[in-house]
Amino acid sequence: MTVRPKHHSVVAAVYSLALTLLILGPLLGPGYLLLRDAVSTPRSYLTDSALGLTDAAARAVPQDALIAAVSTVVDGGLVVKALLLAALWLAGLGAARLVRALLPTAGLGPQLVASTVMLWNPYVAERLLQGHWSLLAGYGALPWIVIAGIGVRRAQPGAWWALAASLAFAGLTPTGALLGLTIALVAVASPGGRTSVLRRVSGVFALFLITASPWLAATLLSSGAADGSDPAGVAAFAARAEPGLGTLGSLAGLGGVWNSAAVPDSRTTLFAAVGTLLLLIVVLSGIPALWRRRRNPVVTALGVLALVAVLAPALGATPWGLVVGRWSVEYFSGAGLLRDSQKWVALAAPFYALSAAAGVMWAQRRFTLPRPTWSIAAVVVTVMALPDLAWGVGGALKPVQYPQSWTVVAEQLRGETGDVAVLPTGMFRAFSYTGDAPVLDPAPRFLPLDVLQTGELIVAGGSVGGEGTRAAQVEELLLTGGSSIELAALGVGWVLVELDTPGRSDDAALRNLERVFADNYLELYQVPGDVALHQASASARIIVALAHIAWVMTGVAALLVLGLNQNRIRLARRDKT
């Protein structure tokens, strides 16, 4: 049965959804995502931390504020799952649409191959295992940003609105916003087009300032805005060579995340080299065909971007690259955002998908086998390159059920004042109900008050310091038996003890505190006396809140305009028939 071209979009959408469901698998069952950096909770709150107005870097802005707002009416765990599902589905569908935009003669088969390459690769697997679900929103927006950029170059109606919607979705995290800005500039700044390059570039920057305004405003207004990142983080978070591959080979295969524990099992053996070779065979087969299309400036620009996206993190992991990286984070505030260098290899993925589709098209023309043969073969080879991405990355993505004590403590703290300190110290936990992988402490997102954390990360070979100076002082008091008066002076009104996890702790600091709740999982203590309030100013909260509203409204307005335009097009076509 032949699928008509007008149905290609429907098939590509269904296929991408099927792949997404196969990848996420068990995570879509009842429960919450709690794996390494990923934390979802039934409800979260618009604290200063959620708005990025503490002395820690605003890394989870605006995602935390968005979830806090939406989780007042919808379970927060469902919100996170829906956003992750949408991110991966849009990544696959966007890759198919990108092929249609840049390779107009491509049939359904090459489009589906592009979707497969965009979804079924080590980058997606490793970021899921690291818990970077919101970063994948930026990843999923990349092909759509390129498509919108092509429309802007051609002065197509609604193209700027499409670009605004795509950049808003990418802007769920600071990294996603920067990924979106980079690929948007590459698409619109290429020579040619029906409008001036300066006008296009200016428009992209204007949209970026709006869609990235939540974390830009938070960074400028937060108490830790002037603090730099720990230079030790540059080496700790550099791209990593996987078995049988150098750093460059790992990155070329869209792998090489810094955390060796956050990789699928197949990437911990020499099969990593085999899988990378299989993926690159599919991708590189289309390079000659795309070379013949080099007169299309967008194709050329995407190819150059892919090359830079692979080479730059590889150079950053060399000795001299690490020296440059340490210098930059030491002297430039905000440069710490660049230290997880492997995440930028996402910029190569759209070209990889396009090249894989071009390779299938070349094989269909060159050989006399039935046309679907090459598409099926490319899909099979891509999946074989990473077989354990299926079903929650080999079952690692499993929903977690919180003990009821978390909800009881959250209710106890509603309407109260003072910040919360936590024991054991540190940001990561190993609860009995979360499996083998470490998980980020859910307290900052579960509780309605700000939770003080230093931001220090324990990594192989040492630790990477955070930005929280007041939190570090509080932690020192808790570990040395400091008095309740000292805790209150630092703004601590409550101390939460998480019993079901190892870590550094000292009961001496709890002796003069009032225990208000206790069970097998949690103990909550209240600090007596007058607690000094450490809060962001009202003006800072208003400015950051307005930035969040601008971000949301830009995305919503863009989607509404695009929907109305599509409806007008359908009505016009109906009138013609």
Side-chain angles (χ1 to χ4, degrees):
M1 179 179 177
T2 302
V3 179
R4 296 180 180 180
K6 67 179 182 179
H7 296 148
H8 286 183
S9 293
V10 175
V11 175
V14 172
Y15 178 80
S16 297
L17 180 60
L19 278 185
T20 298
L21 294 175
L22 182 59
I23 291 170
L24 297 183
L27 180 63
L28 302 180
Y32 298 88
L33 176 60
L34 187 60
L35 177 66
R36 294 189 175 89
D37 293 350
V39 178
S40 68
T41 58
R43 171 77 192 277
S44 54
Y45 300 85
L46 279 173
T47 59
D48 284 349
S49 177
L51 293 172
L53 289 174
T54 64
D55 56 0
R59 296 186 181 93
V61 176
Q63 71 174 57
D64 280 358
L66 175 67
I67 296 171
V70 178
S71 66
T72 59
V73 293
V74 181
D75 184 273
L78 291 177
V79 175
V80 169
K81 291 177 185 178
L83 287 171
L84 178 55
L85 180 74
L88 293 186
W89 176 63
L90 288 171
L93 179 58
R97 292 286 186 90
L98 180 62
V99 170
R100 286 177 55 186
L102 288 175
L103 304 175
T105 60
L108 179 60
Q111 293 178 43
L112 300 186
V113 170
S115 296
T116 308
V117 170
M118 192 74 187
L119 280 174
W120 209 277
N121 61 64
Y123 187 89
V124 171
E126 293 174 0
R127 291 298 159 176
L128 284 173
L129 291 178
Q130 187 57 38
H132 290 173
W133 67 269
S134 50
L135 172 60
L136 290 174
Y139 178 82
L142 294 180
W144 296 95
I145 291 172
V146 178
I147 295 167
I150 295 170
V152 167
R153 290 171 52 81
R154 297 172 179 173
Q156 293 176 346
W160 280 109
W161 289 108
L163 186 57
S166 302
L167 287 174
F169 191 70
L172 192 61
T173 63
T175 297
L178 291 176
L179 287 171
L181 171 65
T182 302
I183 205 162
L185 290 174
V186 166
V188 306
S190 302
R194 297 184 179 180
T195 57
S196 72
V197 173
L198 179 60
R199 179 182 175 185
R200 299 196 301 256
V201 169
S202 300
V204 167
F205 272 112
L207 287 177
F208 170 76
L209 290 177
I210 297 172
T211 55
S213 60
W215 68 268
L216 291 174
T219 299
L220 291 173
L221 295 171
S222 67
S223 56
D227 296 335
S229 299
D230 186 350
V234 174
F237 299 126
R240 178 186 54 84
E242 295 177 342
L245 298 162
T247 304
L248 181 59
S250 299
L251 291 165
L254 302 183
V257 71
W258 65 269
N259 187 358
S260 61
V263 297
D265 289 341
S266 65
R267 303 290 295 186
T268 63
T269 68
L270 287 176
F271 186 79
V274 176
T276 297
L277 178 62
L278 292 175
L279 176 63
L280 290 179
I281 286 173
V282 173
V283 171
L284 296 178
S285 65
I287 295 295
L290 290 182
W291 176 253
R292 290 191 290 272
R293 294 176 178 267
R294 64 187 181 276
R295 284 175 292 182
N296 184 326
V298 176
V299 172
T300 302
L302 288 177
V304 172
L305 178 63
L307 186 63
V308 172
V310 170
L311 289 178
L315 292 174
T318 62
W320 67 266
L322 295 176
V323 170
V324 173
R326 284 191 289 267
W327 174 81
S328 64
V329 300
E330 190 172 356
Y331 291 101
F332 295 97
S333 178
L337 190 62
L338 307 176
R339 64 188 183 183
D340 180 0
S341 57
Q342 189 266 351
K343 64 188 175 186
W344 306 104
V345 82
L347 294 167
F351 182 79
Y352 275 40
L354 186 69
S355 184
V360 170
M361 293 173 66
W362 170 81
Q364 289 175 339
R365 293 191 301 266
R366 180 69 174 78
F367 301 101
T368 58
L369 292 173
R371 293 175 66 86
T373 301
W374 301 106
S375 300
I376 295 171
V379 167
V380 170
V381 169
T382 303
V383 172
M384 285 176 55
L386 192 60
D388 46 355
L389 177 55
W391 205 244
V393 198
L397 289 178
K398 295 180 292 189
V400 168
Q401 295 289 351
Y402 288 101
Q404 183 63 24
S405 48
W406 279 100
T407 301
V408 173
V409 169
E411 289 298 321
Q412 177 78 38
L413 293 176
R414 290 188 69 174
E416 300 290 352
T417 59
D419 295 338
V420 180
V422 182
L423 287 173
T425 58
M427 293 182 62
F428 281 86
R429 300 291 186 251
F431 297 120
S432 61
Y433 49 88
T434 56
D436 298 329
V439 299
L440 200 61
D441 186 0
R445 290 175 174 85
F446 216 120
L447 304 183
L449 300 177
D450 277 308
V451 176
L452 295 173
Q453 290 186 324
T454 65
E456 181 183 13
L457 299 175
I458 305 300
V459 296
S463 65
V464 179
E467 301 89 359
T469 54
R470 182 163 64 98
Q473 293 175 306
V474 170
E475 184 176 289
E476 182 67 21
L477 285 176
L478 291 175
L479 293 177
T480 57
S483 69
S484 59
I485 296 175
E486 292 174 299
L487 288 173
L490 287 171
V492 178
W494 308 85
V495 176
L496 178 69
V497 182
E498 300 174 11
L499 302 172
D500 189 31
T501 182
R504 294 186 298 165
S505 188
D506 190 334
D507 292 339
L510 307 175
R511 290 172 185 166
N512 297 322
L513 309 184
E514 178 187 356
R515 190 167 71 175
V516 296
F517 174 81
D519 70 357
N520 293 331
Y521 296 100
L522 299 175
E523 291 180 349
L524 180 65
Y525 293 83
Q526 185 171 15
V527 177
D530 295 329
V531 176
L533 294 182
H534 290 258
Q535 296 178 332
S537 67
S539 59
R541 288 182 66 91
I542 290 172
I543 291 172
V544 172
L546 289 175
H548 279 78
I549 292 171
W551 165 63
V552 171
M553 294 306 297
T554 298
V556 171
L559 290 175
L560 287 174
V561 171
L562 291 173
L564 290 173
N565 286 342
Q566 286 298 315
N567 189 52
R568 291 194 193 98
I569 293 172
R570 282 194 294 268
L571 291 176
R573 288 175 178 172
R574 186 184 305 170
D575 291 341
K576 289 181 180 180
T577 58

